Amino acid sequence: MSIQLPENYIQQMKELLKEDFEAYMQSFEQERYYGLRINTNKISVEDFLKISPFSLEPIPWTDNGFYYQGDQKPAKHPYYYAGLYYLQEPSAMLPAQVLPIEESEYVLDTCAALGGKSTELAAKLHNTGLLLSNDISTSRCQGLIKNVELSGSYNTWVCSEDLVDLSKRFKETFDKILVDAPCSGEGMFRKEPHLISSWQERDDTYYPPIQKDILSCAVDMLKPGGMIVYSTCTFSIKENEEVIQDVLHRHSDLHLVPISKMPGFASGVGMEECVRLYPHKIKGEGHFVALLQKEGNAPKKICKKENISLPESFKEFLHMCSFDFSKGCFSIKNDKIIWSPQKLSEQKRWRLLRSGLICGEIKKNHFEPSQAFALALKKEEFKNTADLSVDDPRVIKYLKGETIDIKDQDTTSKGWILVCVDGYPLGFGKIDKGIIKNKYAKGWRWQ
């Protein structure tokens, strides 16, 4: 075996798996599985499969997840840059899948970076309600923000707070909460062998106190009647079932909700309602998932609209745009114009990094639309568009930040133009006499 597992970990897994232990060890000789999750905020599963350039096989426990071959490179394809899909380990798709989100709900992702689960939660909301994606690491939140914007989500807020502080601000605020807790990572040893060394440093006694505190804070922020998914990518009973036992003991108004079992799913140890995923039983890595519900009912909250005066240059830009802003409210911060369909109660002195859709920025009395705004639009919602086929070399030129010539398509338009691939927006440019000056965001460009 090329991966060297610690002897104490091997003994731990022998005790846990018993007659399945040898099958688990043999899984390290097999190649890991690769997953692609279709972004249903932008395209239906049916429509994506019609245009997919990849060989895909459905992942059984998701509605919109597929396996792809490891030698394919979906991260180097224009559809990735259009936000049509997100690359995610197949087992990691389960937690967001089992959380039964309804439109217009308030949802919290507690440990959200780099956005794999947040982008699926946003897709399930269909840009209604509000998603608050939090991660204590401000630096990791930058990747989270980019993935949220790439997905076209405009109802997502991003903050970087300690959950103890967050729970004091948002008592019983959220309808649904996802806790993908930091853990020892045992389930990812095949995919990410470097985690073995960190396990040896901290093993499975380091994380349980952290996990228990995170989950308890999440319960405090959950509305009566609301639901929480708790997940880890470890096999440790200390980090899984014992954490669930602790929160049930501390919060008598909580109960476990059974998760439907798919072929290959194992039950929790002593907890039939929970699910354990093992790499020798399913096509994916190791995971634990539990679904909890709080007793009671809570009234729906209604967003209060605020009328603010918008800059004239932004109003002029909106003449080119048919995006429906009527159901939300605008704000202006540091010359950035922000729009959100819902709002959280006003908070002071918290690290709020994104509060909805950044439409763009006022620069020297001119409005410049953002990359996020381009990805939130549909092609038909903008007056001037350049729609290139996926095999047109100008697509890659545009994604690299180069000027492109579209005289074969348009020689009369002038000003802002939305560049698309097969009808899906990539970003903005400025067109004059058939030449598009590139406005694709520098940090997003094709490398």
Side-chain angles (χ1 to χ4, degrees):
M1 188 193 307
S2 57
I3 298 175
Q4 295 299 315
L5 297 173
E7 187 58 37
N8 53 340
Y9 174 72
I10 291 173
Q11 291 302 317
Q12 176 183 303
M13 294 304 289
K14 277 183 180 178
E15 293 174 13
L16 176 66
L17 297 175
K18 299 181 173 59
E19 65 273 10
D20 276 354
F21 173 71
E22 289 302 327
Y24 168 67
M25 295 298 284
Q26 288 171 12
S27 71
F28 284 92
E29 304 294 342
Q30 301 165 0
E31 186 181 357
R32 55 158 293 202
Y33 292 90
Y34 297 84
L36 175 155
R37 195 192 68 245
I38 297 168
N39 178 13
T40 53
N41 244 353
K42 287 180 173 281
I43 188 171
S44 69
V45 171
E46 181 183 10
D47 286 344
F48 181 78
L49 292 179
K50 291 176 182 176
I51 64 172
S52 171
F54 315 115
S55 176
L56 301 178
E57 175 191 346
I59 296 171
W61 51 86
T62 72
D63 298 328
N64 54 337
F66 293 83
Y67 298 104
Y68 68 90
Q69 299 300 315
D71 58 353
Q72 296 175 312
K73 303 295 181 185
K76 295 292 286 185
H77 193 282
Y79 291 160
Y80 178 80
Y81 286 76
L84 300 192
Y85 53 82
Y86 185 93
L87 303 182
Q88 188 174 27
E89 194 281 312
S91 295
M93 297 183 192
L94 182 62
Q97 177 71 27
V98 303
L99 192 59
I101 289 172
E102 298 177 12
E103 291 189 9
S104 301
E105 289 187 324
Y106 276 46
V107 180
L108 170 65
D109 189 355
T110 59
C111 310
L114 295 167
K117 296 175 178 67
S118 276
T119 49
E120 174 63 3
L121 297 176
K124 292 177 80 170
L125 282 169
H126 297 116
N127 273 321
T128 65
L130 186 142
L131 171 65
L132 180 62
S133 295
N134 177 75
D135 199 277
I136 196 169
S137 169
T138 305
S139 60
R140 283 169 56 82
C141 279
Q142 301 313 306
L144 167 61
I145 290 171
K146 180 179 177 181
N147 283 322
V148 164
E149 293 180 345
L150 187 61
S151 77
S153 171
Y154 49 78
N155 65 330
T156 300
W157 292 34
V158 176
C159 67
S160 182
E161 287 288 328
D162 182 279
L163 284 177
V164 173
D165 295 331
L166 206 65
S167 65
K168 293 174 183 176
R169 296 173 181 273
F170 297 112
K171 183 82 171 173
E172 296 191 339
T173 299
F174 299 98
D175 300 282
K176 305 288 165 55
I177 299 177
L178 191 145
V179 178
D180 185 40
C183 69
S184 58
E186 296 172 351
M188 295 292 152
F189 284 175
R190 178 174 66 176
K191 177 176 176 281
E192 301 177 60
H194 68 273
L195 292 174
I196 295 172
S197 60
S198 65
W199 185 93
Q200 290 175 304
E201 293 172 11
R202 290 177 169 172
D203 67 38
D204 64 355
T205 62
Y206 174 82
Y207 289 100
I210 299 171
Q211 294 158 339
K212 290 173 183 178
D213 287 345
I214 288 174
L215 188 51
S216 190
C217 287
V219 174
D220 290 341
M221 290 184 278
L222 186 68
K223 289 180 183 177
M227 302 178 85
I228 290 178
V229 158
Y230 174 82
S231 66
T232 70
C233 56
T234 188
F235 303 123
S236 168
I237 295 173
K238 293 186 182 73
E239 300 181 63
N240 294 327
E241 287 85 356
E242 288 185 12
V243 172
I244 298 301
Q245 288 171 348
D246 176 80
V247 77
L248 291 172
H249 176 73
R250 285 205 262 175
H251 299 271
S252 60
D253 55 348
L254 280 186
H255 65 269
L256 278 165
V257 178
I259 298 173
S260 298
K261 301 294 193 298
M262 301 285 297
F265 282 21
S267 297
V269 178
M271 288 186 174
E272 186 70 26
E273 303 92 339
C274 305
V275 163
R276 280 174 164 262
L277 303 183
Y278 293 105
H280 61 286
K281 288 181 172 289
I282 50 98
K283 293 181 178 179
E285 306 307 313
H287 244 73
F288 172 86
V289 184
L291 182 61
L292 299 146
Q293 185 168 26
K294 182 185 279 190
E295 296 172 4
N297 294 289
K300 294 276 186 182
K301 289 188 176 181
I302 299 174
C303 171
K304 293 182 179 179
K305 292 187 179 180
E306 298 176 0
N307 294 315
I308 66 166
S309 178
L310 295 171
E312 288 300 320
S313 58
F314 179 53
K315 291 180 182 179
E316 291 174 12
F317 180 85
L318 291 184
H319 291 314
M320 304 179 67
C321 178
S322 60
F323 184 90
D324 184 9
F325 288 109
S326 64
K327 297 178 182 178
C329 34
F330 286 100
S331 60
I332 300 177
K333 295 180 182 177
N334 301 322
D335 292 325
K336 289 183 172 65
I337 299 175
I338 302 165
W339 179 83
S340 182
Q342 295 287 339
K343 294 199 76 173
L344 286 165
S345 57
E346 194 64 35
Q347 301 291 324
K348 295 181 180 179
R349 294 185 296 276
W350 69 311
R351 287 176 290 180
L352 180 63
L353 308 179
R354 185 186 193 267
S355 55
L357 174 64
I358 298 177
C359 299
E361 188 173 0
I362 303 298
K363 295 182 177 180
K364 298 180 180 178
N365 296 320
H366 295 286
F367 175 74
E368 188 159 313
S370 70
Q371 184 68 38
F373 192 21
L375 271 294
L377 288 170
K378 295 180 174 64
K379 176 191 170 185
E380 59 270 21
E381 291 175 334
F382 202 74
K383 182 178 179 181
N384 291 341
T385 61
D387 193 9
L388 306 173
S389 65
V390 71
D391 55 357
D392 190 321
R394 289 175 293 188
V395 172
I396 305 302
K397 286 189 68 176
Y398 173 77
L399 291 173
K400 288 182 175 180
E402 299 175 16
T403 297
I404 59 173
D405 184 333
I406 63 160
K407 291 191 185 76
D408 59 318
Q409 291 191 12
D410 188 342
T411 58
T412 60
S413 295
K414 190 171 183 178
W416 289 104
I417 189 166
L418 183 65
V419 181
C420 305
V421 56
D422 289 342
Y424 298 97
L426 293 170
F428 285 111
K430 284 292 245 348
I431 186 170
D432 187 17
K433 298 177 182 177
I435 303 297
I436 296 180
K437 182 180 179 182
N438 205 304
K439 293 292 184 178
Y440 191 69
K442 290 182 180 178
W444 293 47
R445 291 178 181 174
W446 187 287
Q447 299 296 321

